[in-house]
């Protein structure tokens, strides 16, 4: 497996070109400039490039194939809109089914607007959207949890708790629609960020747990999770949506300022600007290290179920239940 398909797969710059520039592949009018390859592309050729990378990720990591039912986590944002559209197109040629699922965190003034965009996209593709909420899974909306956290002077962050609840909720949503795979919209930026965050926290367990494919695929309570956008940059997901006229929500979550991830993201963007290709280098380092660590599979194999809620957990009480107990 070549973990770095990107070196010959340039990243586009969201630069709209003049009418005189033609696509380097098909000679139609170009609409995007691929900066570091000095190449201009039309929307069609860029979309093909984006989709080829998803197919390559699928092949490299053996993500899904014939007869699989793939739940696709959608949020209303650009990454998951691009993901759903690509997988929908692939499913028309292949023999697998896609089922969009959305997690309602319960964030006033944000979630409802983003959900509308996800519903719009699903409707245009003729797909039924299944929604699971934190209210159902944890008994509280995220807004309520944040109020309780402040009242009890607890130290967890909104994104920390949201991440724990999202994983659990997505897993439940995937099982609800009868899926045996769960595709999430994490792109190359996300993977590079998570790798750096784990390094900055010296979180070895986090590094072990995190992968392009999570889970062994044969665990009753845990639907195997895959990241088909791993070879595409965040910026490219937005471009893919624009080029294909996909509806997506642009506003940021009101809690995002709290995120450690945001700081790492800014750092990586700055480095990338000065040293193009840095994000892919971080991604390549991550993938190379993962290949050397069979211990990950071992820790997955040992995972059982939470004695409180019965969901998948690597300890006797899952992180969601520990957090909920602290709020009680
Ligand atoms: Fe959840 Fe944080 Fe994302 Fe908001 S920014 S949806 S709190 S993970
Ligand atoms: Zn639990």
């Amino acid at each position: 497996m070549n973990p770095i398909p990107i070196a010959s797969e340039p990243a586009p710059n969201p630069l709209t070109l003049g009418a005189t520039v033609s696509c380097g592949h098909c000679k139609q009018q170009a609409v995007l400039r691929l900066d570091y390859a000095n190449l201009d592309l039309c929307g069609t050729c860029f979309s093909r490039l984006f989709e080829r990378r998803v197919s390559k990720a699928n092949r490299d990591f053996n993500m899904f194939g014939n007869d699989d039912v793939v739940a696709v986590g959608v949020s209303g944002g650009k990454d998951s809109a691009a993901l759903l559209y690509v997988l929908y197109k692939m499913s028309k040629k292949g023999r697998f089914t896609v089922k969009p699922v959305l997690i309602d965190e319960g964030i006033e003034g944000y979630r409802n607007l983003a959900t509308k965009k996800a519903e719009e996209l699903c409707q245009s593709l003729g797909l039924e959207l299944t929604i699971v909420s934190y209210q159902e899974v944890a008994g509280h909306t995220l807004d309520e949890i944040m109020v309780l956290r402040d009242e009890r002077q607890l130290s967890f962050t909104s994104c920390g708790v949201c991440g724990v609840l999202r994983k659990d909720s997505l897993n439940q949503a995937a099982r609800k629609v009868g899926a045996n795979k769960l595709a999430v919209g994490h792109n190359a930026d996300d993977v590079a960020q998570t790798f750096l965050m784990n390094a900055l926290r010296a979180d070895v367990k986090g590094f072990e747990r995190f992968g392009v494919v999570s889970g062994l695929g044969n665990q009753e309570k845990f639907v195997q999770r895959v990241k088909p956008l791993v070879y595409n940059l965040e910026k490219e997901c937005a471009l893919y949506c624009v080029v294909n006229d996909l509806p997506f929500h642009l506003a940021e979550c009101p809690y995002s300022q709290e995120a450690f991830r945001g700081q790492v993201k800014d750092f990586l963007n700055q480095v990338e600007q000065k040293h193009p290709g840095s994000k892919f280098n971080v991604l390549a380092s991550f993938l190379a290290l993962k290949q050397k660590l069979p211990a990950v599979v071992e820790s997955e194999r040992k995972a059982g179920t939470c004695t409180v809620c019965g969901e998948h957990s690597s300890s006797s009480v899952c992180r969601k239940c520990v957090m909920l107990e602290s709020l009680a």
Side-chain angles (χ1 to χ4, degrees):
M1 181 193 80
N2 172 15
I4 324 169
I6 323 289
S8 59
E9 301 276 16
N13 188 322
L15 178 69
T16 303
L17 301 170
T20 54
V21 180
S22 57
C23 174
H25 283 176
C26 72
K27 307 302 173 203
Q28 298 293 311
Q29 183 183 331
V31 295
L32 301 164
R33 178 158 183 78
L34 309 186
D35 253 357
Y36 60 80
N38 194 24
L39 177 68
D40 306 310
L41 284 182
C42 69
T44 306
C45 289
F46 167 69
S47 291
R48 284 198 190 121
L49 172 67
F50 189 95
E51 290 161 10
R52 273 204 310 274
R53 288 175 179 173
V54 174
S55 294
K56 176 163 172 54
N58 186 27
R59 284 195 308 275
D60 284 351
F61 296 96
N62 195 18
M63 292 180 177
F64 47 82
N66 286 349
D67 304 325
D68 279 337
V69 177
V70 184
V72 182
V74 296
S75 65
K78 61 191 182 327
D79 303 328
S80 59
L83 176 68
L84 179 63
Y85 190 65
V86 176
L87 296 194
Y88 169 79
K89 283 178 78 176
M90 286 169 74
S91 75
K92 291 287 155 199
K93 293 183 203 149
R95 290 213 330 262
F96 66 94
T97 313
V98 293
K99 298 203 172 184
V101 297
L102 181 142
I103 305 307
D104 180 349
E105 306 91 350
I107 303 172
E108 188 72 33
Y110 165 74
R111 173 40 58 206
N112 51 340
L113 299 172
T115 299
K116 273 198 188 116
K117 292 292 178 186
E119 284 171 341
E120 209 180 301
L121 176 60
C122 291
Q123 202 173 15
S124 72
L125 301 177
L127 298 170
E128 186 187 344
L129 177 64
T130 298
I131 300 179
V132 168
S133 69
Y134 286 180
Q135 180 73 56
E136 288 167 55
V137 169
H140 299 286
T141 65
L142 188 63
D143 285 342
E144 289 168 357
I145 290 173
M146 287 303 101
V147 171
L148 289 168
R149 175 200 67 173
D150 292 343
E151 282 173 6
R152 285 157 179 70
Q153 300 185 322
L154 298 167
S155 61
F156 56 72
T157 64
S158 50
C159 293
V161 69
C162 190
V164 170
L165 291 180
R166 183 185 307 284
K167 271 188 190 150
D168 197 276
S169 306
L170 275 170
N171 199 35
Q172 292 194 37
R175 295 205 311 260
K176 193 171 176 179
V177 299
N180 64 326
K181 304 276 176 169
L182 168 63
V184 292
H186 292 200
N187 53 49
D189 290 53
D190 296 320
V191 175
Q193 287 159 21
T194 303
F195 175 50
L196 274 191
M197 286 163 71
N198 285 333
L200 289 165
R201 290 168 167 152
D203 185 354
V204 178
K205 284 260 175 286
F207 173 78
E208 281 185 355
R209 274 197 305 269
F210 186 69
V212 178
V213 174
S214 311
L216 297 174
N218 57 0
Q219 288 158 315
E220 191 198 339
K221 287 282 186 174
F222 189 78
V223 179
Q224 190 175 49
R225 191 164 303 196
V226 299
K227 302 181 174 80
L229 298 181
V230 63
Y231 291 153
N232 283 295
L233 292 170
E234 179 177 322
K235 191 162 63 177
E236 293 165 339
C237 295
L239 286 170
Y240 184 83
C241 289
V242 171
V243 163
N244 290 285
D245 204 17
L246 307 179
F248 66 93
H249 186 58
L250 260 179
E252 280 216 346
C253 167
Y255 294 116
S256 60
Q257 300 90 322
E258 268 197 50
F260 178 45
R261 179 176 293 277
Q263 293 164 10
V264 174
K265 180 177 179 169
D266 290 346
F267 167 74
L268 267 176
N269 284 341
Q270 284 166 19
V271 175
E272 178 71 23
Q273 211 172 11
K274 286 193 180 153
H275 308 282
S278 296
K279 287 179 184 175
F280 292 135
N281 289 340
V282 175
L283 175 68
S285 304
F286 168 71
L287 295 176
L289 280 171
K290 287 301 277 190
Q291 278 189 321
K292 292 186 188 298
L293 277 180
V296 176
V297 174
E298 196 49 42
S299 70
E300 287 284 354
R301 192 170 285 128
K302 282 182 193 155
T305 51
C306 170
T307 52
V308 179
C309 70
E311 288 296 322
H312 174 88
S313 174
S314 52
S315 50
S316 60
V317 179
C318 74
R319 291 164 76 199
K320 174 194 72 181
C321 288
V322 170
M323 185 274 299
L324 289 175
E325 177 62 28
S326 71
L327 295 176

